Amino acid sequence: MLSPYMISSFFISLFCVLTAHRLLTRNKTIKFCIVTYILNTLFIFLGSIYIIKHIQNPAMVRYLVYCFAFLYIVYLCLVFEESISKKVFTMFSIWLFTTIALLTAIQSAQLISGTSNVKYFQNLIYIFRNCIQILLLIIVCFWISKPYKSILSLVSDKTIRYMSLYPVIAFLLLITNFTTSPERLANFNSIYDMLLFLVFIILGYVFVFAGISSASKIISLQYDMEKLELISKTDPLTGLLNRRNIIEKIENEIVKYKINKIKFALIIADIDFFKKVNDTFGHDCGDRVLKSISKNLQDAVREQMMDLRCQLL
């Protein structure tokens, strides 16, 4: 028979996966996602039940169950297209706030019930925790998902790997400061202690995310500058270097020749009867001819000579 804890845990895992779907980019069908989630969840739950039944040490049981829960990374790897670093960062971020939701639910249930005996308000904790998870999912859907995806797409994997250290450490710090056993669900001495602890965790995470956001803006700015520089140097139709850039490169070659006596050659070519092509078939056809000839010229030039591309006049 399913216990309230197992039912609550199933819905929590479902809400976490739905949150991941809002924060990451799915590259599989809905049918594939449902089948994969069911199989992954069954394996994790059956493994956790086996651990709980056959291991007597509560602390070891707790950590082994968390290790089994890490297998949801298999689901993320199969369903989403982001790199493994970004998936790990997202998974631990979700789990971090899920754990915070549990701690908040514990204190809320304790305040409402008026007792510190967990046995009397354990079901109330499950209800509060699921409600908080639904609230977090709504916030992610309407306010966080779009900026999160845009930031995640701009930041490099190397940056994400460093930034992932904080949610991982914060998550481990949280789970080592409370236990989910019926005897004692939390070991904070007061609500004040818990609030200070959560403020420390959340502010640190905000700073980490702000750092990622700043890094993504810098990367985006560098990309825009490189794009503008490329546009200023190339012809928009053919992709070849424009007149100003060609003249600049020729002047540089002349300077090199004067200093080091390194010889260079300049080849000038023309397209015969090109005006006739425009007059007969139209300018759209002429543009296609220019693109085709430009590609042939680029393919014909050796890789070492790519800096001296020709310009169609």
Side-chain angles (χ1 to χ4, degrees):
M1 185 176 177
L2 294 175
S3 64
Y5 173 74
M6 291 180 64
I7 296 172
S8 175
S9 298
F10 170 77
F11 280 105
I12 291 299
S13 66
L14 178 61
F15 294 144
C16 288
V17 167
L18 291 176
T19 304
H21 271 271
R22 300 305 303 173
L23 297 176
L24 298 173
T25 305
R26 177 171 56 86
N27 61 357
K28 299 293 183 181
T29 63
I30 295 294
K31 184 178 179 180
F32 180 88
C33 294
I34 293 173
V35 172
T36 306
Y37 172 75
I38 292 174
L39 293 176
N40 204 33
T41 301
L42 280 174
F43 182 79
I44 291 171
F45 271 66
L46 291 175
S48 300
I49 292 172
Y50 180 85
I51 290 171
I52 293 170
K53 285 184 177 180
H54 292 83
I55 297 178
Q56 303 301 321
N57 189 332
M60 186 176 291
V61 167
R62 180 178 47 162
Y63 286 107
L64 287 175
V65 168
Y66 273 113
C67 289
F68 254 82
F70 287 156
L71 293 177
Y72 273 111
I73 192 65
V74 175
Y75 176 86
L76 298 184
C77 290
L78 292 175
V79 170
F80 301 107
E81 65 181 27
E82 282 81 4
S83 65
I84 185 66
S85 302
K86 295 178 181 180
K87 291 171 185 174
V88 169
F89 177 83
T90 302
M91 184 181 75
F92 273 100
S93 299
I94 294 171
W95 281 14
L96 173 62
F97 283 95
T98 298
T99 308
I100 292 174
L102 174 58
L103 295 178
T104 306
I106 292 169
Q107 296 297 331
S108 301
Q110 186 174 343
L111 283 174
I112 291 177
S113 64
T115 177
S116 58
N117 192 333
V118 174
K119 292 181 179 179
Y120 292 105
F121 60 83
Q122 195 166 15
N123 291 337
L124 197 59
I125 291 173
Y126 301 147
I127 295 171
F128 282 165
R129 187 185 184 189
N130 280 274
C131 290
I132 295 172
Q133 284 292 143
I134 294 172
L135 180 62
L136 288 174
L137 179 59
I138 293 172
I139 292 172
V140 168
C141 288
F142 290 98
W143 289 286
I144 297 177
S145 60
K146 287 185 178 179
Y148 188 93
K149 283 184 178 180
S150 61
I151 290 173
L152 211 61
S153 64
L154 291 173
V155 178
S156 65
D157 288 340
K158 184 177 180 180
T159 303
I160 284 291
R161 280 195 291 271
Y162 287 123
M163 295 297 187
S164 296
L165 291 174
Y166 184 82
V168 171
I169 294 172
F171 173 74
L172 294 175
L173 186 62
L174 278 175
I175 66 171
T176 53
N177 276 275
F178 73 95
T179 173
T180 54
S181 63
E183 290 76 19
R184 193 178 182 191
L185 201 56
N187 67 356
F188 291 100
N189 294 324
S190 66
I191 297 177
Y192 179 73
D193 293 336
M194 189 204 75
L195 289 176
L196 286 179
F197 191 60
L198 293 186
V199 166
F200 170 75
I201 295 291
I202 294 173
L203 282 180
Y205 188 83
V206 168
F207 290 145
V208 168
F209 202 77
I212 294 176
S213 178
S214 300
S216 68
K217 289 178 181 179
I218 293 172
I219 294 171
S220 178
L221 183 60
Q222 289 175 343
Y223 173 78
D224 291 339
M225 291 178 65
E226 290 174 0
K227 189 176 179 180
L228 288 173
E229 185 179 2
L230 181 64
I231 291 173
S232 68
K233 291 182 177 180
T234 57
D235 176 63
L237 177 63
T238 62
L240 299 174
L241 301 181
N242 57 25
R243 177 188 288 261
R244 182 177 65 181
N245 204 268
I246 286 290
I247 292 174
E248 181 182 332
K249 288 189 175 294
I250 292 174
E251 290 174 348
N252 290 337
E253 292 299 319
I254 292 173
V255 172
K256 288 180 183 178
Y257 173 75
K258 289 180 179 179
I259 297 173
N260 301 318
K261 302 300 179 182
I262 299 176
K263 296 180 180 180
F264 69 96
L266 179 63
I267 302 174
I268 300 177
D270 192 16
I271 304 175
D272 292 336
F273 309 113
F274 182 68
K275 184 177 183 304
K276 197 171 184 180
V277 173
N278 282 330
D279 294 340
T280 305
F281 301 102
H283 288 280
D284 288 340
C285 181
D287 289 345
R288 291 184 181 181
V289 171
L290 285 175
K291 289 181 181 179
S292 178
I293 294 175
S294 301
K295 187 178 184 306
N296 291 334
L297 288 171
Q298 287 177 315
D299 293 340
V301 175
R302 294 200 311 270
E303 188 174 350
Q304 295 88 343
M305 301 291 291
M306 286 303 290
D307 284 341
L308 295 178
R309 298 172 188 169
C310 62
Q311 174 198 17
L312 293 174
L313 302 174

